[in-house]
Structures are given as C-alpha cells and as structure tokens.
Amino acid sequence: MDVATVVGLLCGFGLIGTAIFLGGSPESFLNPPSVLIVIGGTFAVTTACFSLGEMGRTVRVIGKTLFHTPRDPSQVLQIAELARKRGVLALQNLLGSVQNEPFLHKGLQMVVDGTPGEEVESIMRRDLQATIQRHSKSTSVLRKMGEFSPAMGLIGTLIGLVQMLGNLDDPTTIGPSMAVALLTTFYGAVMANMFFLPLASKLERNSQEEALINNLYVMGAASIGNRENPRRLEMLLNSILPPANRVQYFD
Amino acid sequence: MDVATVVGLLCGFGLIGTAIFLGGSPESFLNPPSVLIVIGGTFAVTTACFSLGEMGRTVRVIGKTLFHTPRDPSQVLQIAELARKRGVLALQNLLGSVQNEPFLHKGLQMVVDGTPGEEVESIMRRDLQATIQRHSKSTSVLRKMGEFSPAMGLIGTLIGLVQMLGNLDDPTTIGPSMAVALLTTFYGAVMANMFFLPLASKLERNSQEEALINNLYVMGAASIGNRENPRRLEMLLNSILPPANRVQYFD
Amino acid sequence: MDVATVVGLLCGFGLIGTAIFLGGSPESFLNPPSVLIVIGGTFAVTTACFSLGEMGRTVRVIGKTLFHTPRDPSQVLQIAELARKRGVLALQNLLGSVQNEPFLHKGLQMVVDGTPGEEVESIMRRDLQATIQRHSKSTSVLRKMGEFSPAMGLIGTLIGLVQMLGNLDDPTTIGPSMAVALLTTFYGAVMANMFFLPLASKLERNSQEEALINNLYVMGAASIGNRENPRRLEMLLNSILPPANRVQYFD
Amino acid sequence: MDVATVVGLLCGFGLIGTAIFLGGSPESFLNPPSVLIVIGGTFAVTTACFSLGEMGRTVRVIGKTLFHTPRDPSQVLQIAELARKRGVLALQNLLGSVQNEPFLHKGLQMVVDGTPGEEVESIMRRDLQATIQRHSKSTSVLRKMGEFSPAMGLIGTLIGLVQMLGNLDDPTTIGPSMAVALLTTFYGAVMANMFFLPLASKLERNSQEEALINNLYVMGAASIGNRENPRRLEMLLNSILPPANRVQYFD
Amino acid sequence: MDVATVVGLLCGFGLIGTAIFLGGSPESFLNPPSVLIVIGGTFAVTTACFSLGEMGRTVRVIGKTLFHTPRDPSQVLQIAELARKRGVLALQNLLGSVQNEPFLHKGLQMVVDGTPGEEVESIMRRDLQATIQRHSKSTSVLRKMGEFSPAMGLIGTLIGLVQMLGNLDDPTTIGPSMAVALLTTFYGAVMANMFFLPLASKLERNSQEEALINNLYVMGAASIGNRENPRRLEMLLNSILPPANRVQYFD
C-alpha cells in the first residue's frame, strides 16, 4: 500500500472531518442533491470528454496507485546470477517467488519457455509502452476532473443562490439556504484539491518510477535470455538508476 | 452515436435540471434576455475572432462529433484479401457496404476506376490534411467560446447589478433582481463547462483517433491499388496501431 | 469590410445595449470619470509598456483589420498569362485594376519598370517581413490592453468602494454609489472581452492569411519578372495554398 | 527620457489621482500602515526570493529605463568613414562627442589605444552578455513584485476584515474600517498593474533594443579596429537592423 | 546565513505582525483549528502527491537554504597553486580549512588518497547530478505546497461559513464567526506567498548557483589530481564564471 498517499489523503480528510464535528451539527454538511451535482456532474462532463473505456481504466489505475508499493529491482540481479550458475531452466522454480511482479514474471516465463532474448525484449517493451500510454490517459482524466469539479461546485452554488434570492419572503431561511448553496462549492474544492489533483500528481510520479523499473526488468530478462554475464547487467542497470538507488550485488 | 459524449452531456444537464426542479419555481431559471446576452454575445464575439465560414464549419463538426462511432479499421484487411483473390474489379460490389466510411469509399472508388496507387495515396493524404486542419480550427472556435461565455456571463451580471443598485427604493425587489442578475453568470458557467469545453476536448481526441484510422485507410487503398500482398499491409497497419488495437486477420 | 468582425462586434454591443435599455434608465450606465479611468488608464499603462510609435501603428492596424476583405490570389495567374502572351509592358494598363492590392501593385510596377526578377523578389520579401513584424507587435499591444483593462476596472471599483464606505452616513446613497463603483469593472470587462481580445485574435488570424497571400504575390511578381511559364507558377502556388483554396486557372 | 513610459505612468497615476480628488476626502486614501504592508511586504518577500545585490541592481536598472532615449546607431558609420579618411588616431578628438554612448566610447577608446580588432570585439561582446543577463534578472525581480503585490494587498485586506468583524459592536465604524481594509487591495492592484508589470514589460523591450544597438557598436568598433572598408560595415549593419531602421550613409 | 532570505521573510512577518498588534486584540488572529486545517491539510495533501522520503528531504533542504552563504570559488586556485609548488601530499594539511565546503573537501581527500584525476571527476560529477535532482524535487514539493495552501484556506473558510450560516439565530455572533472563517483564507495566503513560494524561488536560484560552483570544484579537483598547470585551471574557470565573478589569481 502506498503509505504516503493513503495516509496523506486520510489525514487530510480527517482534519476536515474534525473541523466539521468540532463546529457542531455535522449533518448540515451532508446534502445529497449537492453531492449529486458536484460528483455526478463532474463524472458526467468528464465522461463526455473521453470514452467509457478510458473512464473505466482510470478507476482501475487509481486502485492500483493506492496499493502501489515501492519496488526493489535488485532481485533481477540475483535471478541473473542464479540463471548463470544453474542454467535458465532452474528459473522455473523461481517463477512463483516473483508473482508479485507480473511484468518480470511474464518476461521470465518467456525466457524459460525458450523465447530468444531479442523477442522477449521486443514483446516486453511493447507492453511497457502500452502501460505508459494508459497511465498518461488516466492522468489526463484525473486532471480534467480536478478542473471540472470546482466548476460544478460553482454551478451548484449559483443554482442555490438564484433559488434563495427568488423567495426572500422569510428572512429566517436565508442562512440555511445560503449554507446549502455554499456546500457545492465546498464539495468541489474538496474533491479537486484533496482527491483528483493529488492523485493525478501521484499517478504521474509513479508512472515515471514504474517505467524506470519495468525498463530494468526488460533489460534483465533480455540479458538472461541472451545468457550474458550478470556483471554486465549490473553495469547496465547502474547506468540507468539514479545514484541513490544504485545496486551493488557483485563487490 | 458517441455514447460517452451524448449520455455524459445529457446526464450533466439532467442533474442540473433535477436540482432546479427540486428547488421549486423552475421558471425563475429561464430569463430570455439573459440567455440572449450570454449565448448571443458569446457567438457574436467569437464570430468577430474568426470568419463566417469557420463558424459554420464548427457547427457541422459538432454535429459529426455527437454522432461519431468508434470505427473498426480491420475491414480494410478483408477487402485487401478479397482484392488479391478475385481482382480489383470485384471490389465494385463491395463499395456499397463501405458507404458508412466515405473516406475509404472514395479511396476504393478511385482504385476500382483504375487510378494508380501512388495517385490514390497522394489525393487521399491531401484530403486527410484538410480534415485535420478543419477540425483543429473548430477546436479553437470551441475553446474561444469556452473562454468568452463566462466573460459574457460576468458582463450580464454587472449590468443586472448596476440596474438593481440604481433603484433600491423598494427592498422587496432586491432578491428577485439579484437572482436575475446571477442568471447570466450561471448560464455562462454552464455553457463553458458543460458544453463548449467538453466538446472541444472531445473534438481534439476524436480528431487524433480519426486521423489514425484514415491514415490506415490511405495505406490500405494505396496497398490495394499497388496490388501488394495483404500480409505486408497487416504488418504495416500493426506498426502504426496502438498495441491494444492491433489487428490479426492472417494467423 | 470584414463582415464577421464588424457584424460580430456590432451584434455584441447591440445585445449589451438592448439589455441596458430594457432595464430602464440607460443614463446610469454612462459615467464619464469611470470611462476615463478604464479607457484612459488602459491606454496610459499600455503606452508605458511600449513606445509612442508602436501605439500609433496599432491604431492604424486596427482600422485596416476592420476593413479587411478576404482576397482572391488567383488574379495573379491571369496577369502572368497576359504577361506571357503580350509581353511585360502590356501590364502597364493592368496596374490600375490592382490598385486595391497595393503590395501586388508595387511588385508589378517594379516589373514594368524593368527591375530584374530576383531584385523584385528580395525587395518584396523584405517588405513582407516588416509587415508581419509590425502586425505581431500590434497583436501584443492589443493583448496587453486586454490584460490591463479589467485591472483598471478593478482599481476604479476599489476607489469607488473606499469612497462609498468612507461616508455611509446616508444609507439611501449606498445603492447608487455602489452602482457607479461597479461601472468601472463593467467597462473593463466589456473593453477586454468585446473589443481588445477579439481584435487581437482576429489580427493574428488575418496576419497569417495576409502573409500567405502576399507570399503568393511575391512568387507571382518574381515569376513574371523572370518571364517564366505561368503553368510553373500555378504549380508553385498550389504547393503553398491549403487544399480548399487551390486555384485551377489552366485546365 | 523615455517619453512613453514616463508620460504613460504619470497619466495613469494622474487619472487615478483625479478620480480620488473628485470623490472628496482624498485623505481617506492614505493609510500609512496599509502602504507599509503592501510596499514593504512586497519588497521583503521579493528580496527573500533573490539576493540583496540583485535587488539593488534592479532599482538602478529602473532608473536607467525611465531615462532611456531611443538611440541612433548611424553615427558609428560617420565615425568609421572618418577613421578611414584620417586614420584611427583622429578618433581621439571624437571620443568626447560619444560620451553619451558609454559602450561605444569604451570600444573606441580601446581602438585608439591600439587594441587589436578581435580583442576589442571579444571584450565588448563579453560586456554585452553581462548587460543582457543583468537586465533579464531585473525583469524577473519586477515580475515577481507584480505577482506578490496583489497577494500582499489581499493579506492586508484579510487582516483588516478579521479585525473589523472581531468587534462589530459599533455599526457606525463598519464602513470606515472596511474602507481601510480595502485600501491594501487597492494599493496592491495599483502597484502591480501601474508600476511593476508595465516596467517589467518595458525593461524586456528596451533590453532587446539595446542588445541590438550595442551589437552594432561591437561590429562597428571591431570593423574600425580592423581598418575595414566602411561600406562593408554598412552592409553588415543593414543585415541586422529591422527594415524600417536601415541606415543609408553611403548612397 | 542567507541574509536576503532570512531578513526578507522576518521583515515580511514583522510587518504583518505589527499590523495585527496595532489593530488590537492580536489573540483573535490565533485559532488552533484553523492553523491545523491549513498547515496540516497542506502537508497531508502534498505528502499524498509525493513519498515520505521526498517530504523529509525537502525539510532538510529548506534548512540548508536558510543557512546558505554565497561562496567564493577562488580558493580552489590557491589550493591548485599550492599543490603545484609543494606536491599533492601537502594538501593533507589544508583539508581542515575546507571543511566548510564538504563537496570540495571530499574531492581533495580523494586526490590526496591518490585517486586518479578522471575517477575523481566522474565520482564528483555523479554526486553533483544527485544534488541537482534532489533540489529540483524539493522545489516541486514547495511549489505544490504554495498551490495547496490557499486551496486549504478556501476549504476552511467554506466550512466556517456553512457552520455560521447554519445557525444565524444570534446575530451578535455573526461577526466573530465570520472572522474565524476568514482566518483560514488568511493563513493560506500568508503560507503560500510569504513562505512556500519565496522559498521555492530561492531554492531554484541557489540550486543554479551551487551547481555552478560545485562544477568549478569538480574541475579544480580533477585538474589538481591530473597535476595540470594552475594557469590552465584559471582559464577554464573563467570560461564558465559570469563576467562579474571572474577570478584573477595569477598576474
């Protein structure tokens, strides 16, 4: 689970929730029609900008972002060392232990099945490209939602204000009506700044990190498939990894 | 029909409409002069930025966007296979079945008429360029409308406020006057965020998709005109299509 | 006259004017000091960003934009055909008929005077560059005005509010004072969105179109001066013109 | 003196001042604490973004911008002609007459002192680079001030509003307190839009113009130092000057 | 200590503080729940955009920015001269005097230890890259905080307004409730404009300056390690330093 994102968002919502409860009458912050206008409206308008398939993929990608854990690419070196010592077929027993890395697992499976190194690399690289494109589309969907949700909040508030101003006969209802009108602006600001925009930023950051690591797996699987010396692979990986994350498996 | 766009926009307007009806007195949301200022003003000012021809084309392009259906480019492979087996003249009978793809139809017609492959490709490519340019101009028109409609809404509200403040003699009229003044801001926000901007985004997205598919048709028609092997065409198409949409007609 | 721009702007102002008149007491929308702050202030501050010469040129360029008519570059082919048939000197009689195209007129005059083709081309191209630069500077001036006029409107409103709030003794004057204060915001929004920004967009669009057509005239005059075959000129022109506007003078 | 900038800014402030005086009680627009928050705060925060040296240089550069006069680079041709006719040493008597052009003066002094042309060019060009960098840093300082001054105005207004709302006991003081609170927003808008941003735009424009002319002086001094024909220098200058400003010293 | 930043920020906060104290009842500006919503919420949401490690590094980098002192790179020339005169081993005694420059110290230590010049350069350059990347990530964190803190301020104000409007029974509490509601907007504006954004600008500026000087140290240590003539090093340094900061150690 991505601690920073899950705890960060929970803390944010916790602070807002505490402020609402401390002020008394938290029920005045829940107005189903307002929720419908802001969240429903944002989804409807954003869907109109994209296709149904792109919207569905975004929901799945958000789920994967929340349960994202930073990955340690150094195991690919252990696997390469093992493959050199005991032969490629010995990897068969290892496949179970890398099932938490489906991309690496798929690559090693192809190597064990005897697919030549170049073909493993080309198939994995094509797959990697598709993932990057899919994530970038999902980032666009989240950014658009972050743009539209304050706009829907404003529209909801304007509806509330026009309705309130239309019948000012009873001044005692002005306050509560105005409070309800402001709720949509509140929902819009919360959705954009505490959900859509942070998730879009995180998605972009993770996508870069994931592309880097999957790129290492591509190089690793191709290197194993080509029966290259694992020391050459270590040099190759370190030329791509940022200094802080360099691996040093062989002294 | 483009389900995502049509249903998305209808849902958005439905939500707004429901909120208005639930609040009672929906007639207070209809103010013909306000509609005229925002919609008329936005059209007038945007027309001043472009030419009459560009405005007319944009309306037609919006119509085509709403009735856009995702297209399956794989039929071009079936046609190429048929042309290889029974000769180019056999395509004559097929022309009726591709009338829903006028760009492909036009290309195949030229092939059947005996136009050489290179000339078919050059004429179709020129046509494709013109379409891309026309759509990009229409996207600009919609974006400008999305910029000008909130501005016209603000101008209308300022007119209403100045008129209301000018005669505050009767305080009971303040509320309704203010409500009418806010209506233009409401119209402007709705037009921009629930019509012009989503359509501009969608237009841009469809234009990219359409350019990709028409590009495939150009390659297909040219390949048929040149009597090339359809397997070579399949390879060519797959080098351009995104991985998820790759076609596999020949095993 | 550029129908889209002139009619567009007139319609926009007409709609605003109608809304003001329908509301009664249109005189409350005219406040000379407010006009002075917004229009005078915008001019003053924008002048400070540029030089007096650049401001003057912008006014002249606006005039030319409003009376801009789309031009048909195909006449240059007729002239080239005539020059080939009856000799360059025969163009002398034609010069009067192209006086509405001063750039082409100037080029043909040089050709008739016996200036060699290369020199005609180099002089005309230098002139064309100067025009493009002049228009781009004028677009910048209009964009800056579109930025500064809402700011001056805000400043005027703040002055009005501070004055009003300073003496709230007589509550009956609050409304009218507030109305006057809002007028500068109104003027600023109108000037920016219904004059400066649309004109800047139009200027940019026309400048591109004009550069294209004047570029054709440069090529035409040079071709005539060099006594080339007009068919070669037609091919040259069509390689530059967008597909929709291609000319076809020779079958 | 730069007429456009000085007169432009004076006119702008004159219009604002007139509006304030016509409204009566101009003293209500002067509130020393508000001035301190906006102007002092903007300087403090902008200084935190840069270094003390960069702030000092910006003040000096503003002074030079206000007293900037457009320069005529054609005198460098007269000097080159003189140098060719009477020898480089004759320039000694001319040095006094170009003291208003310190950059040219410094270059000619080096030529008279016998410094070789290439070295004159390299030293002057290094000096020119330093000037361009210094001005670009000053433009950044002014732009940041234009961003921070409305922000400081908002902060000041919020302080005033919180103080006013905290003790609403005496309703007669609401108006004046509110007026004082709005003053910081007013100061911030005036400083940004009528001082910092126009000066930043002007600085950028003048820096481009100055770089062009100083570049001509570099070429002129180097050409004189190398004893080249002044006609070659004229050709060189005209290849760089915009068409409208081309010099024609030799027929 | 970085005088401009520390004094600039202190002056800014001093001015705000003075304005608050002069207005009386400064305690009304301290509202712990509001502080929690704005500062806590900003940290929580920004953390969700990055990782815990990136947040921690940013705090450390801010500390280093506040205590940053401009550095004089000319000492590297003295050290190079000494190394040429008395041999590289004599640098051992100097290492204590450059402990305030850990990057240079690390480089010289490697030279004294006999590491070849090329390897010293490659290790130092890799380290320099890591520092630049770390600072750029921290600048992004500060910019995001500068974006989110006004948003959290708005959200806090909306919570306060909804709570206040919900129970308008007692009009005497409207003022103080409204004041408390505005406090979060005030905190958000102060945090963004007087802390996060200036620090982000400063960090970016210092990072460029530091990269320049550390680049000089890389060149210096490599030059000493290679036993090159220090005059060559001076030339090398001056080709990189901006004109104003050029060093002149030899004649």
Side-chain angles (χ1 to χ4, degrees):
Chain A
M1 206 177 70
D2 187 326
V3 180
T5 302
V6 174
V7 172
L9 292 186
L10 286 184
C11 277
F13 279 104
L15 282 166
I16 299 298
T18 309
I20 287 175
F21 271 91
L22 286 183
S25 63
E27 70 285 356
S28 68
F29 278 85
L30 196 71
N31 185 257
S34 303
V35 174
L36 219 64
I37 289 181
V38 176
I39 301 191
T42 301
F43 267 87
V45 172
T46 309
T47 303
C49 294
F50 295 91
S51 73
L52 296 177
E54 287 158 352
M55 295 302 288
R57 264 199 296 277
T58 303
V59 173
R60 284 198 301 278
V61 169
I62 291 176
K64 278 177 63 182
T65 296
L66 293 181
F67 296 99
H68 164 94
T69 38
R71 298 184 293 170
D72 172 22
S74 69
Q75 61 175 318
V76 79
L77 278 177
Q78 299 169 28
I79 295 170
E81 176 70 356
L82 189 87
R84 200 183 58 93
K85 279 194 193 138
R86 308 201 203 151
V88 158
L89 290 184
L91 296 181
Q92 185 70 53
N93 310 318
L94 262 172
L95 281 178
S97 73
V98 294
Q99 256 169 350
N100 59 331
E101 289 287 356
F103 190 69
L104 179 58
H105 184 269
K106 182 181 162 193
L108 292 179
Q109 182 69 63
M110 286 190 289
V111 169
V112 169
D113 292 351
T115 319
E118 296 86 48
E119 203 176 325
V120 171
E121 183 167 359
S122 118
I123 292 172
M124 287 177 85
R125 211 167 279 289
R126 212 184 285 169
D127 202 322
L128 179 55
Q129 281 304 320
T131 307
I132 292 175
Q133 276 184 13
R134 216 166 40 236
H135 281 202
S136 119
K137 203 73 171 179
S138 297
T139 307
S140 307
V141 170
L142 283 170
R143 289 220 184 283
K144 272 263 172 277
M145 287 188 145
E147 280 173 38
F148 281 128
S149 60
M152 294 311 298
L154 171 69
I155 288 173
T157 296
L158 286 169
I159 293 178
L161 284 179
V162 169
Q163 285 172 342
M164 182 195 84
L165 290 166
N167 43 345
L168 280 180
D169 308 337
D170 182 3
T172 65
T173 66
I174 295 179
S177 306
M178 185 87 183
V180 169
L182 279 181
L183 271 183
T184 55
T185 294
F186 171 69
Y187 292 153
V190 167
M191 291 310 293
N193 292 294
M194 301 182 65
F195 194 73
F196 295 131
L197 296 180
L199 276 182
S201 288
K202 186 73 181 215
L203 208 59
E204 209 167 24
R205 181 194 163 285
N206 284 358
S207 188
Q208 287 170 6
E209 204 183 284
E210 191 168 345
L212 181 76
I213 288 178
N214 283 349
N215 202 13
L216 296 180
Y217 288 162
V218 173
M219 290 162 75
S223 168
I224 295 171
N226 290 330
R227 272 118 185 118
E228 293 178 354
N229 188 325
R231 284 174 192 265
R232 197 180 159 268
L233 177 61
E234 192 187 74
M235 252 181 53
L236 214 58
L237 298 192
N238 281 338
S239 73
I240 284 188
L241 279 173
N245 300 351
R246 294 226 167 93
V247 290
Q248 198 143 16
Y249 184 73
F250 305 101
D251 64 299
Chain B
M1 208 178 67
D2 187 326
V3 180
T5 301
V6 174
V7 172
L9 292 185
L10 286 184
C11 278
F13 279 104
L15 281 167
I16 299 298
T18 309
I20 288 176
F21 270 91
L22 287 182
S25 64
E27 70 284 357
S28 68
F29 279 85
L30 196 71
N31 185 259
S34 302
V35 174
L36 219 63
I37 289 182
V38 176
I39 301 190
T42 301
F43 267 87
V45 171
T46 309
T47 304
C49 295
F50 295 90
S51 73
L52 295 177
E54 287 159 353
M55 294 302 288
R57 263 199 297 277
T58 303
V59 173
R60 284 198 302 278
V61 168
I62 291 175
K64 279 176 63 181
T65 296
L66 293 180
F67 296 100
H68 166 93
T69 38
R71 298 183 293 169
D72 171 23
S74 68
Q75 61 175 315
V76 79
L77 278 176
Q78 299 171 26
I79 294 170
E81 175 70 356
L82 189 88
R84 198 183 61 94
K85 280 192 192 138
R86 307 200 204 152
V88 158
L89 290 185
L91 296 181
Q92 184 70 52
N93 310 318
L94 263 173
L95 282 179
S97 72
V98 294
Q99 257 170 348
N100 58 332
E101 290 287 355
F103 189 70
L104 179 59
H105 183 268
K106 182 181 162 192
L108 292 179
Q109 182 68 64
M110 286 191 290
V111 169
V112 169
D113 292 350
T115 320
E118 295 86 47
E119 202 177 325
V120 171
E121 183 167 359
S122 117
I123 292 172
M124 286 177 86
R125 212 166 277 289
R126 212 184 286 170
D127 202 321
L128 179 54
Q129 280 303 320
T131 307
I132 291 175
Q133 277 184 14
R134 215 165 41 237
H135 280 202
S136 118
K137 202 74 170 178
S138 297
T139 307
S140 307
V141 169
L142 283 170
R143 289 220 184 281
K144 273 262 172 277
M145 286 187 145
E147 282 173 37
F148 281 129
S149 59
M152 294 310 298
L154 171 68
I155 289 173
T157 296
L158 286 168
I159 293 178
L161 284 179
V162 169
Q163 285 172 342
M164 182 194 85
L165 290 165
N167 43 345
L168 281 180
D169 307 338
D170 183 3
T172 64
T173 66
I174 295 179
S177 306
M178 185 85 183
V180 170
L182 279 182
L183 272 184
T184 55
T185 295
F186 172 69
Y187 292 154
V190 167
M191 292 311 293
N193 292 295
M194 301 182 67
F195 193 72
F196 295 132
L197 295 179
L199 276 182
S201 287
K202 186 73 180 214
L203 207 59
E204 209 166 24
R205 181 193 164 285
N206 285 358
S207 189
Q208 287 170 5
E209 203 182 285
E210 191 168 345
L212 181 77
I213 288 178
N214 282 349
N215 202 15
L216 296 179
Y217 288 162
V218 173
M219 290 162 76
S223 166
I224 296 171
N226 290 330
R227 273 114 186 122
E228 293 177 354
N229 188 324
R231 284 173 193 265
R232 197 182 159 268
L233 177 60
E234 193 188 70
M235 252 180 53
L236 214 57
L237 297 192
N238 281 338
S239 72
I240 285 188
L241 278 173
N245 299 352
R246 295 226 165 94
V247 289
Q248 197 143 16
Y249 184 73
F250 304 102
D251 65 298
Chain C
M1 208 177 69
D2 186 325
V3 179
T5 301
V6 173
V7 172
L9 292 185
L10 285 184
C11 278
F13 279 103
L15 281 166
I16 298 298
T18 310
I20 287 176
F21 271 92
L22 287 182
S25 63
E27 70 285 357
S28 69
F29 279 85
L30 196 71
N31 184 258
S34 302
V35 174
L36 220 64
I37 288 180
V38 176
I39 302 191
T42 301
F43 266 89
V45 171
T46 309
T47 304
C49 295
F50 295 91
S51 72
L52 296 176
E54 287 159 354
M55 295 302 287
R57 264 199 296 277
T58 303
V59 173
R60 285 198 301 278
V61 169
I62 292 175
K64 279 175 64 180
T65 296
L66 293 180
F67 295 100
H68 166 94
T69 38
R71 298 182 293 167
D72 171 21
S74 69
Q75 60 175 318
V76 79
L77 278 178
Q78 298 171 27
I79 294 170
E81 174 71 354
L82 190 87
R84 197 183 60 92
K85 279 193 190 138
R86 307 199 203 153
V88 158
L89 290 185
L91 296 181
Q92 184 70 53
N93 309 319
L94 262 172
L95 283 178
S97 72
V98 293
Q99 257 169 349
N100 58 334
E101 290 286 357
F103 188 70
L104 179 58
H105 184 268
K106 181 181 162 193
L108 292 180
Q109 182 67 64
M110 285 190 290
V111 169
V112 170
D113 293 349
T115 319
E118 295 87 47
E119 203 177 325
V120 171
E121 183 167 359
S122 117
I123 292 172
M124 285 178 88
R125 211 167 278 288
R126 211 184 286 170
D127 202 322
L128 179 54
Q129 280 304 321
T131 307
I132 291 175
Q133 277 184 13
R134 215 166 41 236
H135 280 201
S136 120
K137 202 75 171 177
S138 297
T139 307
S140 307
V141 169
L142 283 170
R143 290 221 184 280
K144 274 261 173 277
M145 286 186 145
E147 281 173 38
F148 281 128
S149 59
M152 296 309 299
L154 171 69
I155 288 173
T157 296
L158 286 169
I159 294 178
L161 284 179
V162 170
Q163 286 172 343
M164 184 195 85
L165 290 166
N167 43 343
L168 281 180
D169 309 336
D170 183 4
T172 63
T173 67
I174 295 179
S177 305
M178 185 85 183
V180 169
L182 278 182
L183 272 184
T184 56
T185 294
F186 171 68
Y187 292 155
V190 167
M191 291 310 293
N193 292 294
M194 303 182 66
F195 194 72
F196 295 131
L197 295 179
L199 277 181
S201 288
K202 187 72 181 216
L203 207 59
E204 209 165 25
R205 182 194 165 284
N206 284 358
S207 189
Q208 287 169 6
E209 203 183 285
E210 191 169 344
L212 182 75
I213 288 178
N214 282 350
N215 201 15
L216 296 180
Y217 287 163
V218 173
M219 290 162 77
S223 167
I224 295 171
N226 289 331
R227 273 115 186 123
E228 293 177 354
N229 188 326
R231 283 172 193 266
R232 199 182 158 267
L233 177 60
E234 193 187 71
M235 253 181 52
L236 215 57
L237 297 192
N238 281 339
S239 72
I240 285 189
L241 278 172
N245 300 351
R246 296 228 165 91
V247 290
Q248 197 143 17
Y249 184 72
F250 305 101
D251 66 298
Chain D
M1 206 177 70
D2 187 323
V3 179
T5 301
V6 174
V7 172
L9 292 186
L10 286 183
C11 277
F13 279 103
L15 281 166
I16 299 298
T18 310
I20 287 176
F21 271 91
L22 286 183
S25 63
E27 69 286 356
S28 69
F29 279 87
L30 196 70
N31 184 258
S34 303
V35 174
L36 218 64
I37 288 181
V38 176
I39 302 192
T42 302
F43 267 88
V45 172
T46 311
T47 303
C49 295
F50 295 91
S51 72
L52 295 176
E54 287 159 353
M55 295 302 288
R57 265 199 296 278
T58 303
V59 173
R60 285 198 300 279
V61 168
I62 292 176
K64 278 176 64 181
T65 296
L66 293 180
F67 295 100
H68 165 93
T69 38
R71 296 183 295 168
D72 172 23
S74 69
Q75 60 174 318
V76 79
L77 278 178
Q78 298 171 28
I79 294 171
E81 175 71 357
L82 189 88
R84 199 184 58 93
K85 278 193 192 141
R86 306 198 205 153
V88 159
L89 290 184
L91 295 181
Q92 185 69 55
N93 310 317
L94 262 172
L95 282 178
S97 73
V98 293
Q99 257 169 350
N100 59 332
E101 290 287 357
F103 189 70
L104 179 58
H105 183 268
K106 180 181 162 192
L108 292 179
Q109 181 68 62
M110 285 191 289
V111 169
V112 168
D113 292 350
T115 319
E118 296 87 48
E119 204 178 322
V120 170
E121 184 167 358
S122 119
I123 293 172
M124 287 177 86
R125 210 168 279 287
R126 212 183 287 170
D127 202 322
L128 179 55
Q129 280 304 321
T131 306
I132 291 174
Q133 277 185 12
R134 217 166 37 237
H135 280 202
S136 120
K137 202 75 172 178
S138 297
T139 307
S140 306
V141 170
L142 283 169
R143 288 220 185 280
K144 273 263 173 273
M145 287 187 145
E147 280 173 37
F148 281 128
S149 58
M152 295 309 299
L154 171 69
I155 288 174
T157 296
L158 286 168
I159 293 178
L161 283 178
V162 170
Q163 286 172 342
M164 183 194 84
L165 290 165
N167 44 344
L168 280 179
D169 309 337
D170 182 4
T172 64
T173 67
I174 295 179
S177 305
M178 184 88 184
V180 169
L182 279 182
L183 272 184
T184 56
T185 294
F186 172 67
Y187 292 154
V190 167
M191 290 312 292
N193 292 294
M194 302 182 66
F195 194 72
F196 295 130
L197 295 179
L199 276 181
S201 288
K202 188 71 181 217
L203 207 59
E204 208 165 26
R205 182 194 165 283
N206 284 358
S207 188
Q208 287 170 5
E209 204 183 285
E210 191 169 344
L212 181 76
I213 288 179
N214 283 349
N215 201 15
L216 296 180
Y217 288 164
V218 172
M219 291 162 77
S223 167
I224 295 171
N226 290 332
R227 272 117 188 123
E228 294 177 355
N229 188 324
R231 282 173 195 266
R232 198 182 160 268
L233 176 61
E234 192 187 72
M235 254 180 52
L236 215 57
L237 298 192
N238 282 339
S239 73
I240 285 189
L241 279 172
N245 299 352
R246 295 229 165 91
V247 290
Q248 196 143 18
Y249 184 73
F250 305 102
D251 65 298
Chain E
M1 206 177 69
D2 187 324
V3 179
T5 301
V6 174
V7 172
L9 292 185
L10 286 183
C11 277
F13 279 104
L15 281 166
I16 299 298
T18 309
I20 287 176
F21 271 91
L22 286 183
S25 62
E27 69 285 358
S28 67
F29 278 86
L30 196 71
N31 185 257
S34 303
V35 174
L36 220 63
I37 289 181
V38 177
I39 302 192
T42 302
F43 267 88
V45 172
T46 309
T47 303
C49 295
F50 295 91
S51 72
L52 295 177
E54 287 159 354
M55 295 301 288
R57 266 199 295 279
T58 303
V59 174
R60 286 198 300 279
V61 168
I62 292 176
K64 278 176 66 181
T65 297
L66 292 181
F67 296 100
H68 165 93
T69 38
R71 297 184 293 169
D72 172 22
S74 70
Q75 59 174 318
V76 78
L77 279 178
Q78 298 171 29
I79 294 170
E81 175 70 357
L82 189 88
R84 200 184 58 93
K85 277 193 192 142
R86 307 199 204 153
V88 158
L89 291 184
L91 296 181
Q92 184 70 54
N93 310 318
L94 262 171
L95 283 179
S97 72
V98 294
Q99 257 169 348
N100 58 331
E101 288 287 357
F103 188 70
L104 179 57
H105 183 270
K106 182 181 162 192
L108 292 179
Q109 182 68 62
M110 286 190 289
V111 168
V112 169
D113 293 350
T115 320
E118 296 85 50
E119 203 178 325
V120 171
E121 183 167 359
S122 120
I123 293 173
M124 287 178 86
R125 211 169 279 288
R126 212 184 286 170
D127 201 323
L128 179 54
Q129 281 305 320
T131 307
I132 292 175
Q133 276 184 15
R134 215 166 39 235
H135 281 203
S136 120
K137 203 73 171 178
S138 297
T139 307
S140 307
V141 170
L142 284 169
R143 289 221 184 282
K144 273 263 172 276
M145 287 187 144
E147 280 173 39
F148 281 128
S149 58
M152 295 310 299
L154 172 69
I155 288 174
T157 296
L158 287 168
I159 293 178
L161 284 178
V162 170
Q163 286 173 341
M164 183 194 84
L165 291 165
N167 44 344
L168 280 179
D169 309 337
D170 182 3
T172 64
T173 67
I174 295 180
S177 306
M178 185 87 183
V180 169
L182 279 182
L183 272 183
T184 55
T185 294
F186 172 68
Y187 293 153
V190 167
M191 289 313 292
N193 292 294
M194 302 182 65
F195 193 73
F196 294 130
L197 296 179
L199 275 181
S201 288
K202 187 72 182 217
L203 208 58
E204 208 166 25
R205 182 195 164 282
N206 284 358
S207 189
Q208 287 170 5
E209 204 184 284
E210 191 169 344
L212 181 76
I213 288 178
N214 282 349
N215 202 14
L216 295 180
Y217 288 163
V218 173
M219 291 162 76
S223 168
I224 295 171
N226 290 330
R227 272 117 186 121
E228 294 177 355
N229 188 324
R231 283 173 195 266
R232 198 181 159 268
L233 177 61
E234 193 187 71
M235 253 180 54
L236 215 57
L237 299 192
N238 282 338
S239 73
I240 284 188
L241 279 173
N245 299 350
R246 295 228 166 91
V247 289
Q248 197 143 19
Y249 183 72
F250 303 102
D251 73 295

